[in-house]
């Protein structure tokens, strides 16, 4: 029984779902998410990661905010403690996967062609190219874009949204869908704050709070190392939490999604119009 | 961000929509789809106007080749966890409209829902409802 294919319309109730008007038209209420097919694959991906005890993190930001540099610095800091793999999403090139592989970590590059975001199907395909057994953390580096990636669940456990200080502290207000989805906001390239007079980290955080988002905001510079310890501490805590969840056989969706999930439960059935 | 990128995003949402509509049509043995109603909130990340623009490109050759797309816009509403008020809000200020606190929960505004589909029945199905088979 599921919400999308109509298999919950039985011979006993089908006449209710099927009331043609005089023009031979009948209205069927559906009320399910438009992205149901994506969400089902995403749930499958998440279950796949849970089975292998892997924490999956979706890294989102505009292009050039420092996602790959953050992954490189994280591998340098944790390569002796955690086993990491990376899925890279870009429109073209293998550049980012090559950078990650140069650190001795498995990476799979998804080139999306013209698609401006990753979706759950692409990530599912990529998962088959990575050795999940024995992994602790899977980074999914989304296509650099503050708009579209926020709408597609990939099967991650947490969303990490990067905002580099060269971009402006009003980005959470300009891209509310993206920043509302963040479980953690990283203010990156903070070594450049010294030469920027128009980025106020407090204002960036206040703009995040105005989206009713309680996510922590961590300032760091992946290149210079400042603040990396706070990010590493957050990451290690998430890995521990994921291990507890796996042991207890519970799964976690990004913070924004429980509401969406509730919506699907209450609306995700065929509403039969008499 | 070019408008082409955005259109790509809405196009993939359109394709997901049409797959779901085709499933509904097939399960009702309908001939075609005459009307599709969506409910979209501003925080869904999908732009109704771009979806309308992408829809004619995506519907060709599908069950919905001649279907009309109707989009119902939903308001942003929040419930305050401090004072309990339910108020209107805007996409980048989800604060309580009464006390101004940011600890709010979204009641409406992030929906991306297929609300209903109007089906044009195949002629024999018209005479014999599916329930009777």
């Amino acid at each position: 029984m599921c919400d999308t294919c109509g298999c919950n319309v039985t011979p006993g109730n089908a006449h209710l779902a099927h009331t043609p008007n005089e023009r031979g038209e009948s209205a069927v209420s559906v009320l399910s998410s438009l992205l149901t097919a994506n969400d089902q694959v995403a749930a499958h991906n998440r279950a796949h990661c849970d089975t292998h005890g892997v924490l999956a993190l979706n890294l989102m930001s505009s292009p050039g905010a420092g996602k790959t540099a953050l992954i490189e610095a994280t591998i340098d800091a944790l390569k002796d403690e955690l086993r990491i793999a990376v899925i890279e999403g870009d429109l073209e090139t293998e550049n980012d996967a090559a950078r990650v592989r140069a650190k001795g970590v498995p990476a799979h590059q998804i080139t999306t062609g013209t698609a401006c975001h990753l979706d759950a199907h692409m990530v599912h395909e990529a998962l088959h190219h990575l050795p999940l057994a024995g992994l602790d953390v899977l980074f999914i580096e989304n296509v650099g874009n503050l708009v579209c990636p926020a709408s597609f669940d990939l099967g991650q456990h947490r969303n990490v949204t990067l905002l580099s200080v060269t971009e402006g502290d009003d980005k959470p207000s300009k891209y509310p869908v993206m920043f509302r989805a963040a479980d953690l906001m990283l203010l990156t390239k903070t070594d450049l704050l010294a030469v920027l007079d128009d980025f106020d980290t407090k204002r960036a955080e206040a703009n995040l709070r105005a989206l009713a988002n309680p996510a922590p905001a961590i300032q760091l510079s992946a290149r210079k190392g400042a603040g990396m310890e706070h990010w590493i501490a957050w990451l290690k805590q998430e890995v521990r939490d994921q291990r507890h969840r796996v042991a207890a056989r519970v799964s976690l969706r990004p913070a924004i999604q429980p509401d969406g999930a509730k919506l699907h439960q209450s609306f995700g059935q065929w509403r039969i119009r008499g | 961000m070019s408008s082409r990128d955005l259109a790509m995003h809405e196009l993939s949402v359109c394709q997901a929509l049409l797959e779901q509509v085709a499933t509904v049509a097939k399960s009702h043995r309908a001939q075609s789809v005459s009307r599709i109603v969506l409910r979209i909130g501003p925080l869904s990340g999908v732009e109704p106007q771009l979806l309308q623009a992408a829809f004619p490109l995506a519907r060709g050759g599908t069950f919905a080749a001649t279907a009309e797309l109707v989009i119902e816009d939903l308001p942003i509403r929040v419930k305050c966890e401090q004072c309990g008020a339910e108020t209107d809000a805007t996409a980048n200020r989800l604060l309580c409209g009464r006390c101004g606190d940011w600890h709010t929960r979204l009641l409406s505004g992030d929906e991306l829902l297929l609300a209903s589909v109007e089906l044009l029945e195949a002629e024999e199905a018209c005479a014999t409802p599916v329930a009777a088979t």
Side-chain angles (χ1 to χ4, degrees):
Chain A
M1 190 79 85
C2 74
D3 296 337
T4 51
C5 77
C7 59
N8 54 357
V9 176
T10 63
N13 66 17
H15 64 288
L16 296 170
H18 198 82
T19 47
N21 63 15
E22 58 282 2
R23 286 172 299 154
E25 291 172 355
S26 67
V28 177
S29 291
V30 184
L31 286 172
S32 64
S33 166
L34 282 192
L35 298 174
T36 297
N38 181 78
D39 293 349
Q40 283 171 349
V41 178
H44 173 78
N45 292 346
R46 196 157 20 242
H48 204 50
C49 288
D50 288 337
T51 303
H52 291 90
V54 179
L55 172 73
L57 299 176
N58 180 21
L59 267 52
M60 297 184 284
S61 76
S62 46
K67 294 185 293 300
T68 315
L70 176 73
I71 290 171
E72 288 172 314
T74 306
I75 294 168
D76 285 342
L78 291 174
K79 64 178 169 232
D80 297 330
E81 290 179 61
L82 296 177
R83 287 150 303 177
I84 297 170
V86 182
I87 293 172
E88 291 284 350
D90 281 296
L91 270 63
E92 295 292 349
T93 83
E94 282 261 332
N95 293 357
D96 286 357
R99 281 171 64 180
V100 170
R101 287 188 202 115
K103 296 281 178 192
V105 159
H108 181 78
Q109 180 79 48
I110 300 172
T111 47
T112 61
T114 55
C116 46
H117 59 272
L118 295 181
D119 66 25
H121 295 87
M122 297 180 202
V123 170
H124 181 252
E125 165 71 18
L127 285 176
H128 287 289
H129 295 276
L130 288 171
L132 283 191
L135 273 192
D136 296 303
V137 181
L138 173 67
F139 289 113
I140 306 168
E141 183 182 333
N142 218 310
V143 177
N145 178 347
L146 284 178
V147 185
C148 317
S151 300
F152 294 86
D153 185 7
L154 306 178
Q156 74 276 24
H157 300 100
R158 292 290 195 192
N159 287 325
V160 178
T161 304
L162 286 73
L163 167 56
S164 68
V165 298
T166 54
E167 292 174 60
D169 51 30
D170 57 352
K171 282 293 178 289
S173 305
K174 287 180 170 173
Y175 298 93
V177 178
M178 171 60 69
F179 284 89
R180 211 172 76 81
D183 295 295
L184 171 68
M185 179 171 78
L186 293 178
L187 298 178
T188 61
K189 307 189 187 183
T190 50
D191 51 307
L192 297 177
L193 278 174
V195 292
L196 297 169
D197 55 8
D198 56 354
F199 192 100
D200 182 341
T201 56
K202 287 198 178 67
R203 208 156 48 211
E205 195 172 333
N207 288 334
L208 182 70
R209 300 292 166 247
L211 305 177
N213 190 340
I218 294 175
Q219 301 177 32
L220 60 82
S221 164
R223 288 263 183 262
K224 306 289 179 193
M228 278 294 286
E229 66 278 15
H230 302 299
W231 152 247
I232 296 293
W234 181 90
L235 180 58
K236 285 183 175 175
Q237 184 60 47
E238 287 294 325
V239 169
R240 280 193 293 272
D241 291 349
Q242 171 69 354
R243 284 180 186 149
H244 293 312
R245 283 191 298 267
V246 167
R249 294 181 176 276
V250 291
S251 191
L252 174 83
R253 307 179 69 170
I256 191 175
Q257 292 183 359
D259 282 347
K262 267 186 269 157
L263 207 65
H264 295 179
Q265 277 164 18
S266 53
F267 290 129
Q269 300 180 10
W270 292 58
R271 289 279 180 80
I272 310 290
R273 212 190 271 173
Chain B
M1 175 60 42
S2 72
S3 59
R4 184 165 167 266
D5 288 336
L6 279 170
M8 277 304 303
H9 168 209
E10 270 70 15
L11 196 56
S12 52
V13 172
C14 255
Q15 282 159 348
L17 158 69
L18 287 164
E19 276 172 33
Q20 226 170 311
V21 166
T23 309
V24 174
K26 276 181 206 157
S27 71
H28 286 78
R29 298 179 196 176
Q31 196 178 47
S32 64
V33 173
S34 53
R35 196 160 183 261
I36 299 169
V37 182
L38 308 183
R39 286 185 198 154
I40 295 183
L43 287 167
S44 69
V46 169
E47 199 52 55
Q49 283 179 333
L50 290 172
L51 202 57
Q52 280 289 10
F55 183 69
L57 302 176
R59 72 181 170 182
T62 72
F63 272 90
T66 58
E68 174 195 13
L69 181 66
V70 178
I71 300 179
E72 297 173 359
D73 296 320
L74 294 178
I76 298 178
R77 297 276 297 168
V78 295
K79 182 179 172 66
C80 181
E81 290 177 352
Q82 301 300 315
C83 79
E86 293 184 11
T87 53
D88 286 334
T90 59
N92 60 13
R93 263 182 85 78
L94 300 172
L95 309 178
C96 173
R98 188 159 79 188
C99 74
D101 198 279
W102 63 266
H103 295 90
T104 63
R105 192 165 52 81
L106 197 73
L107 296 175
S108 153
D110 65 347
E111 297 85 351
L112 184 57
L113 294 173
L114 173 57
S116 69
V117 178
E118 280 183 22
L119 304 172
L120 196 62
E121 305 298 331
E123 281 188 19
E124 63 278 15
C126 242
T128 318
V130 172
T133 60

